[in-house]
């Protein structure tokens, strides 16, 4: 039943009341029982009863058929109490009936079919159309809350949705994939089936409706325009429109962005998307420009990716030809045949290459001198190739020609200057002034770079050219390349010099053959002959020389524990004159080695020690036996490899180790060990233990790493004194060595973290009595010294007085 008012009571007196009743309920439902006070005997109901609401004379309010919220959501009634004469004795009072909604209406699309269009590459998420539905149910309740959804997309490429819908507003937009892949050429249209559900689409009992949406895909007009050509140095009024861009929808904000920073950006864009050049352009300064056009919404957000704009500056013929240089110089040999190429003359034009503006034409307009005739040279019209045109040239006639070349393009002409030098050909051979330079006698110790002979040849070709320059070569008698010949560039004289040491013992006499030639090849038909050759005899005299070692440095390696008397090396030397050699050692500061004076074998004569000398250096002296007893030296290096012959030891003096007494807790000290032997790349790996088993109740050792360990107390009950703790350290070498070292640890009272030791009668420190005795003795000695000085001074004074007395008569 629904007969409860806002106070939750089924009956009550006449007063204003509001009742809430769900629509669609069964009819003849009791709403409320009103009670009248005498003299009232009946009730009268008026207002928006719609023939539905009734009241009995006893005040029973009810309705006769189901309510419909969509017909009337609220009924405003008036209720009065009447007496037996029909007069109002109470009221009327307002009675409000609120009809509560139930989901009894399905949503309905406003259209059975929608049509829309979208531009290719439109921004994803931006709506391009809407679908709308209505529901008569209360929109403030889930019954009237609508939920939109795309249920079918045709075609559906690769099962990818190109469209999306806002499930609350019905706004249709592109997905990210749709914005990227929609192409009107491939699929110009799409069909969507869109559903709408009430109850927010959240329950199975919701009502729904569908509609069809046809979408046409239009070509994206936000595209980069074709490259633009702008004529350089235009005299037309600026700005000049050169191209345009358009966004798919009106209202976009356009701007240009530079790709490269220029002193002044010569382009602009208006808000219609028209792009202008704002000043004349110069192709020779910059032949093309690239920049970007952007479209933004009202909030300054890019609507799409910027477009790249290409502008090519079109050339005009505004540059004359330029010469390659103020004067171009070519060379040609005399007697060249007709048609021979002398060179390529190439001028330049700043206008665009491979266009009519930069095509150059060449023409010789003057020749000086015109001897033996004019027109001796030709130049190809477009390639600039210069050739002989009439006859071979002779340097004796004219050594140089000056040509004026006219270079022209369509509109300009330029005069350039070309000089042609006639060069001599190599038709003369060098001729020695004499063919035999006799004997040259030298001691074998002649210094390197010494000039031993000057030779001279002449050449009749043009001086200071490759045809007349002379190069001297030794072609026979010097296989060891002991000699070299340098040429004087001014005189063509040749200087024979010592390049390597001479050796009487290997080459006492050499017959040297010399050849003079030019760096330029001889012309055809001309050959070198005997006039270009000369000789001399080199005689080397003997000089007594010191013995020569086979090498400057001799190196050997042995183990440091090699037995005394072991051969540890050998040196060899020879005397150039073939005398016997005697060996000795110099610098054997430790007396470890001896050398056999005859064989050069070196032996150990004392134990070697790598820790003292890892590499032992001595000098070996080789002295010739007989003759002048000349000698020479070489170095002998003996590298000693290590053996494990040094036991471990403490790395430093640890007399300062202490622990504060009395101990409040166990304490420890850290110490380090070392070893004089050579260590591996891992470093030492020592083992640590107590040197006496009797200490194990008081002390313990723990290893920290390969070189450090910690000595710790096991209790706190120690006396205040010094302890000497024996520590056993093993090196684990081959053979393994170990040592027992004593580590001093003192227990003492501590003051501010330092060990406090009261002064006592310690060894080496005198007692108070001894100090007093020493002091008295010192004073006694000083007194004796002063007394002696005083007595001597009195004696001297007396002697002086007696010397001054007059002699008696």
């Amino acid at each position: 039943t629904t007969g409860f008012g806002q106070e939750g009571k089924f009956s009550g007196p006449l007063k204003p009341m509001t009742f809430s009743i769900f629509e669609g309920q069964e009819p003849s439902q009791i709403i409320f029982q009103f009670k009248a006070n005498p003299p009232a005997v009946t009730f009268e109901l008026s207002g928006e009863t719609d023939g539905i609401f009734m009241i009995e004379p006893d005040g029973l309010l009810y309705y006769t058929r189901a309510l419909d919220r969509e017909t009337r959501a609220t009924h405003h009634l008036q209720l009065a109490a009447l007496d037996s004469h029909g007069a109002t004795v109470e009221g009327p009072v307002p009675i409000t009936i609120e009809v509560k909604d139930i989901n009894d209406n399905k949503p309905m699309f406003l259209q059975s079919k929608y049509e829309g269009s979208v531009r290719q590459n439109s921004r994803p998420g931006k709506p391009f159309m809407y679908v709308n539905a209505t529901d008569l149910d209360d929109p403030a309740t889930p019954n009237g809350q609508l939920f939109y959804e795309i249920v079918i997309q045709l075609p559906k490429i690769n099962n990818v949705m190109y469209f999306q819908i806002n499930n609350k507003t019905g706004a249709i937009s592109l997905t990210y994939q749709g914005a990227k892949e929609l192409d009107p050429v491939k699929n110009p249209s799409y069909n969507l089936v869109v559903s709408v559900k009430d109850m927010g689409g959240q329950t199975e009992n919701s009502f729904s409706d569908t509609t069809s949406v046809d979408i046409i895909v239009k070509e994206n007009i936000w595209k980069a325009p074709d490259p633009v050509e702008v004529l350089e140095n235009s005299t037309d009024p600026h700005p000049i429109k050169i191209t345009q861009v358009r966004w798919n929808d009106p209202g976009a904000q356009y701007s240009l962005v530079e790709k490269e920073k220029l002193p002044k950006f010569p382009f602009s864009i208006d808000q219609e998307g028209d792009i202008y050049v704002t000043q004349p352009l110069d192709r020779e300064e910059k032949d093309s420009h690239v920049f970007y056009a952007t479209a933004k919404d009202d909030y300054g957000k890019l609507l799409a990716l910027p477009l790249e704009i290409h502008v090519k500056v079109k050339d005009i013929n505004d540059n004359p030809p330029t010469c390659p240089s103020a004067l171009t110089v070519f060379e040609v040999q005399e007697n060249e045949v007709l048609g021979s190429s002398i060179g390529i003359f190439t001028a330049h034009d700043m206008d665009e290459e491979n266009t009519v503006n930069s095509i150059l034409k060449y023409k010789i307009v003057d020749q000086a001198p015109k001897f033996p005739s004019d027109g001796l040279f030709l130049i190809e019209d477009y390639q600039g190739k210069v050739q002989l045109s009439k006859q071979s040239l002779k340097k004796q006639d004219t050594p140089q020609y000056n040509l004026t070349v006219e270079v022209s393009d369509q509109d300009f002409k330029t005069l350039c200057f070309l000089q042609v030098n006639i060069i001599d050909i190599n038709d003369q051979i060098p001729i020695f002034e004499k063919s035999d330079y006799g004997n040259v006698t030298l001691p074998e110790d002649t210094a390197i770079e010494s000039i031993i002979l000057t030779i001279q040849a002449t050449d009749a070709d043009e001086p200071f050219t490759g045809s007349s320059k002379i190069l001297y070569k030794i072609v026979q008698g010097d296989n060891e390349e002991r000699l070299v010949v340098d040429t004087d560039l001014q005189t063509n004289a040749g200087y024979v010099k010592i390049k390597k040491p001479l050796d009487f013992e290997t080459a006492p006499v050499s017959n040297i053959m010399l050849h003079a030639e030019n760096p330029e090849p001889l012309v055809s038909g001309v050959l070198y002959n005997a006039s270009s050759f000369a000789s001399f005899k080199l005689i080397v005299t003997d000089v007594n020389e010191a013995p020569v070692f086979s090498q400057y440095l001799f190196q050997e390696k042995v183990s440091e524990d090699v037995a005394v008397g072991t051969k540890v090396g050998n040196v060899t030397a020879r005397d150039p004159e073939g005398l016997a050699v005697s060996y000795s050692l110099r610098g054997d500061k430790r007396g470890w080695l001896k050398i056999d004076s005859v064989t050069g074998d070196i032996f150990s004569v004392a134990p070697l020690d790598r820790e003292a000398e890892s590499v032992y250096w001595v000098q070996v002296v080789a002295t010739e036996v007989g003759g002048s007893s000349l000698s020479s030296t070489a170095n002998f290096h003996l590298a000693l490899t290590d053996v494990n012959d040094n036991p471990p030891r403490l790395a430093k003096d640890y007399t300062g180790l202490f622990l504060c007494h009395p101990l409040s807790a166990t304490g420890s000290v850290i110490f380090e060990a070392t070893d004089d032997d050579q260590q591996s790349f891992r470093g030492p790996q020592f083992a640590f233990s107590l040197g006496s088993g009797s200490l194990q109740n008081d002390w313990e050792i723990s290893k920290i790493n390969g070189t450090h360990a910690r000595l710790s107390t096991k209790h706190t009950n120690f006396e205040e004194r010094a302890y000497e703790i024996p520590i056993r350290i093993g090196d684990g070498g081959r053979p393994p060595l170990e040592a027992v070292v004593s580590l001093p640890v003192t227990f003492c009272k501590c003051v501010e973290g330092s060990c406090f030791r009261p002064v006592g009668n310690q060894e080496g420190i005198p007692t108070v009595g001894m100090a007093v005795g020493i002091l008295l003795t010192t004073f006694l000695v000083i007194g004796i010294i002063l007394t002696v000085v005083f007595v001597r001074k009195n004696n001297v004074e007396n002697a002086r007085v007696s010397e001054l007395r007059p002699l008696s008569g």
Side-chain angles (χ1 to χ4, degrees):
T1 63
T2 58
F4 291 95
Q6 67 269 38
E7 297 176 355
K9 296 180 179 180
F10 179 75
S11 63
L14 183 63
K15 63 179 181 178
M17 295 191 71
T18 298
F19 299 95
S20 295
I21 303 173
F22 279 103
E23 65 175 332
Q25 295 279 0
E26 292 293 329
S28 303
Q29 294 288 331
I30 298 172
I31 299 175
F32 195 75
Q33 175 69 60
F34 288 97
K35 295 180 179 181
N37 296 316
V41 295
T42 187
F43 291 91
E44 182 182 60
L45 184 66
S46 60
E48 299 170 344
T49 62
D50 295 341
I52 300 174
F53 297 96
M54 302 291 182
I55 192 164
E56 293 294 323
D58 61 357
L60 185 65
L61 179 66
Y62 64 98
Y63 59 95
T64 60
R65 67 174 183 267
L67 302 179
D68 184 9
R69 192 201 67 83
E70 288 70 39
T71 301
R72 191 186 296 277
T74 304
H75 294 262
H76 297 283
L77 308 178
Q78 299 288 326
L79 183 60
L82 308 177
D83 61 12
S84 59
H85 302 290
T88 302
V89 296
E90 190 175 355
V93 298
I95 304 297
T96 303
I97 307 296
E98 295 177 347
V99 183
K100 296 182 68 176
D101 187 49
I102 64 172
N103 190 22
D104 57 349
N105 292 280
K106 64 175 289 186
M108 298 288 293
F109 278 104
L110 300 184
Q111 299 174 214
S112 61
K113 185 175 184 178
Y114 290 83
E115 293 181 348
S117 63
V118 63
R119 290 280 182 187
Q120 177 187 16
N121 302 127
S122 291
R123 185 155 55 93
K126 182 181 180 182
F128 61 87
M129 67 176 297
Y130 288 82
V131 294
N132 299 100
T134 60
D135 191 313
L136 295 177
D137 290 320
D138 188 357
T141 68
N143 303 330
Q145 292 179 1
L146 304 184
F147 182 89
Y148 297 94
E149 183 179 13
I150 297 175
V151 295
I152 297 175
Q153 170 190 298
L154 295 176
K156 194 174 185 180
I157 312 299
N158 297 325
N159 202 35
V160 174
M161 290 296 293
Y162 290 163
F163 302 91
Q164 59 189 351
I165 190 168
N166 186 306
N167 54 32
K168 292 182 179 179
T169 66
I172 298 176
S173 61
L174 293 181
T175 63
Y176 175 81
Q177 292 86 348
K180 184 178 180 182
E181 299 177 15
L182 273 186
D183 187 347
V185 176
K186 295 180 180 179
N187 291 291
S189 64
Y190 287 82
N191 176 258
L192 306 180
V193 175
V194 178
S195 75
V196 61
K197 295 179 180 180
D198 59 15
M199 302 298 290
Q202 299 299 312
T203 71
E204 295 180 358
N205 298 325
S206 59
F207 295 110
S208 66
D209 190 20
T210 59
T211 188
S212 176
V213 181
D214 291 333
I215 300 174
I216 303 299
V217 180
K218 295 183 178 181
E219 183 181 8
N220 177 24
I221 62 174
W222 180 248
K223 291 183 177 180
D226 293 333
V228 182
E229 286 191 349
V230 176
L231 198 67
E232 70 169 329
N233 297 321
S234 172
T235 58
D236 294 339
H238 286 74
I240 301 172
K241 180 181 176 180
I242 57 174
T243 187
Q244 67 183 30
V245 294
R246 293 290 185 270
W247 178 241
N248 296 311
D249 303 310
Q253 305 296 317
Y254 299 102
S255 62
L256 298 182
V257 178
E258 297 180 62
K259 186 174 183 179
E260 50 187 342
K261 192 66 178 177
L262 299 176
K264 184 177 181 182
F265 185 58
F267 301 97
S268 65
I269 188 170
D270 63 20
Q271 289 312 303
E272 298 298 321
D274 295 334
I275 299 176
Y276 300 85
V277 58
T278 58
Q279 65 186 47
L281 305 179
D282 186 357
R283 192 204 68 84
E284 286 69 45
E285 181 179 315
K286 187 170 179 59
D287 61 1
S288 65
H289 297 264
V290 180
F291 52 91
Y292 297 100
T294 66
K296 299 180 180 179
D297 60 19
D298 293 338
Y299 302 101
K301 186 175 182 180
L302 286 174
L303 295 169
L305 293 175
L307 302 179
E308 192 168 76
I309 311 299
H310 291 262
V311 178
K312 178 182 178 182
V313 184
K314 191 174 181 180
D315 187 45
I316 63 173
N317 191 21
D318 57 348
N319 291 280
T322 58
C323 303
S325 60
L327 178 65
T328 302
V329 179
F330 287 167
E331 289 185 343
V332 60
Q333 284 189 339
E334 60 181 350
N335 295 333
E336 287 282 357
V337 298
L338 295 183
S340 296
S341 175
I342 298 174
I344 305 296
F345 184 81
T346 305
H348 304 284
D349 194 306
M350 292 292 291
D351 292 314
E352 186 174 1
E353 294 183 1
N354 302 319
T355 67
V356 68
N357 297 330
S358 62
I359 298 298
L360 302 181
K361 187 174 182 179
Y362 301 93
K363 180 182 178 182
I364 297 175
V365 295
D366 188 39
Q367 170 193 311
K370 296 178 174 59
F371 179 82
S373 67
D374 196 8
L376 293 175
F377 304 92
L378 288 175
I379 186 169
E380 290 185 347
D381 288 349
Y382 295 103
Q383 295 182 349
K385 181 179 179 181
V386 181
Q387 297 172 282
L388 289 176
S389 65
K390 285 188 176 180
Q391 65 186 61
S392 298
L393 305 177
K394 292 289 186 182
K395 185 168 184 177
Q396 291 83 353
D397 294 338
T398 301
Q400 183 184 94
Y401 290 90
N402 293 301
L403 307 179
T404 302
V405 180
E406 178 188 271
V407 186
S408 60
D409 61 18
Q410 269 196 328
D411 302 305
F412 298 96
K413 292 181 180 180
T414 301
L415 295 180
C416 300
F417 301 98
L418 171 63
Q419 178 178 297
V420 180
N421 294 328
I422 313 303
I423 60 175
D424 188 29
I425 59 176
N426 192 15
D427 56 357
Q428 302 293 322
I429 64 172
I431 299 175
F432 272 104
E433 62 180 359
K434 56 183 177 181
S435 61
D436 188 353
Y437 283 89
N439 297 336
V440 178
T441 302
L442 300 170
E444 63 178 333
D445 61 353
T446 301
I448 292 176
E449 293 295 318
S450 297
I451 297 174
I452 64 172
L453 179 65
T454 300
I455 58 178
Q456 183 71 60
T458 57
D459 191 302
D461 288 313
E462 182 182 357
F464 306 111
T465 67
S467 299
S468 63
K469 181 181 179 180
I470 298 177
L471 301 178
Y472 298 97
K473 293 183 179 180
I474 298 174
V475 296
Q476 184 177 317
D478 187 27
N479 294 333
E480 297 81 11
E481 297 182 354
R482 299 164 296 166
L483 307 178
V484 68
V485 184
D486 292 340
T487 301
D488 187 317
L489 298 179
Q490 299 297 320
T491 65
N492 268 341
Y495 303 108
V496 182
K497 300 165 67 175
I498 303 295
K499 179 182 178 183
K500 294 180 181 179
L502 304 177
D503 188 3
F504 168 82
E505 285 73 26
T506 58
V509 178
S510 301
N511 293 309
I512 307 299
M513 179 66 70
L514 303 165
H515 179 217
E517 61 184 23
N518 303 126
E520 288 287 335
L522 297 172
V523 299
S524 178
V526 178
L527 300 173
Y528 293 107
N529 57 33
S531 300
S532 299
F533 292 87
S535 63
F536 70 92
K537 180 179 287 187
L538 176 63
I539 301 173
V540 180
T541 59
D542 188 30
V543 174
N544 188 22
E545 300 169 275
V548 179
F549 280 97
S550 60
Q551 59 197 64
Y552 173 73
L553 175 65
F554 296 86
Q555 301 181 84
E556 296 292 344
K557 181 188 292 186
V558 297
S559 175
E560 66 173 324
D561 63 348
V562 67
V564 173
T566 300
K567 178 181 174 181
V568 296
N570 173 265
V571 297
T572 56
R574 68 172 183 84
D575 184 71
E577 288 73 40
L579 297 175
V581 175
S582 175
Y583 301 98
S584 61
L585 295 180
R586 181 186 297 166
D588 184 14
K589 58 185 179 181
R590 295 189 178 272
W592 284 355
L593 305 176
K594 73 173 183 178
I595 189 169
D596 188 305
S597 62
V598 176
T599 64
D601 292 337
I602 300 175
F603 300 89
S604 66
V605 294
L608 307 179
D609 185 3
R610 189 204 66 84
E611 287 69 39
E613 298 276 355
S614 59
V615 178
Y616 194 49
W617 297 50
V618 295
Q619 271 192 336
V620 182
V621 181
T623 305
E624 63 181 11
V625 179
S628 303
S629 298
L630 298 177
S631 64
S632 60
T633 62
N635 291 315
F636 178 72
H637 295 179
L638 182 62
L640 302 180
T641 59
D642 189 47
V643 296
N644 194 30
D645 57 351
N646 290 277
R649 58 180 175 81
L650 291 177
K652 60 183 180 179
D653 181 13
Y654 282 101
T655 55
L657 293 179
F658 70 90
L659 293 172
C660 292
H661 187 275
L663 293 177
S664 59
T666 57
S668 64
V669 294
I670 295 174
F671 63 94
E672 179 186 2
T674 188
D675 189 314
D676 294 323
D677 290 316
Q678 187 175 13
Q679 303 299 330
S680 67
F681 70 95
R682 294 175 55 211
Q685 296 296 319
F686 296 125
F688 301 93
S689 61
L690 291 172
S692 173
S694 62
L695 301 175
Q696 293 182 357
N697 294 330
D698 301 324
W699 303 90
E700 63 180 353
I701 288 183
S702 56
K703 184 175 179 179
I704 298 175
N705 54 34
T707 57
H708 291 74
R710 184 189 307 275
L711 176 66
S712 305
T713 65
K714 283 189 170 183
H715 56 79
T716 60
N717 187 23
F718 287 88
E719 297 178 7
E720 184 181 357
R721 65 179 181 83
Y723 290 80
E724 295 289 338
I725 312 301
I727 307 295
R728 179 174 283 104
I729 308 174
D731 62 8
R734 295 183 181 178
L737 296 177
E738 68 176 27
V740 177
V741 299
S742 181
L743 184 68
V745 180
T746 300
F747 288 83
C748 59
K749 288 184 172 62
C750 292
V751 178
E752 296 181 353
S754 298
C755 185
F756 174 75
R757 294 187 179 97
V759 177
N761 185 10
Q762 299 180 22
E763 183 179 354
I765 300 178
T767 63
V768 175
M770 294 172 62
V772 173
I774 293 171
L775 186 60
L776 293 176
T777 302
T778 302
F779 287 150
L780 179 60
V781 171
I782 293 173
I784 293 172
I785 293 172
L786 291 176
T787 301
V788 171
V789 171
F790 179 74
V791 171
R792 288 180 59 84
K793 183 177 179 182
N794 287 337
N795 291 337
V796 170
E797 291 294 333
N798 293 333
R800 287 180 181 176
V801 172
S802 58
E803 288 176 357
L804 293 175
R805 289 176 182 173
L807 296 173
S808 59

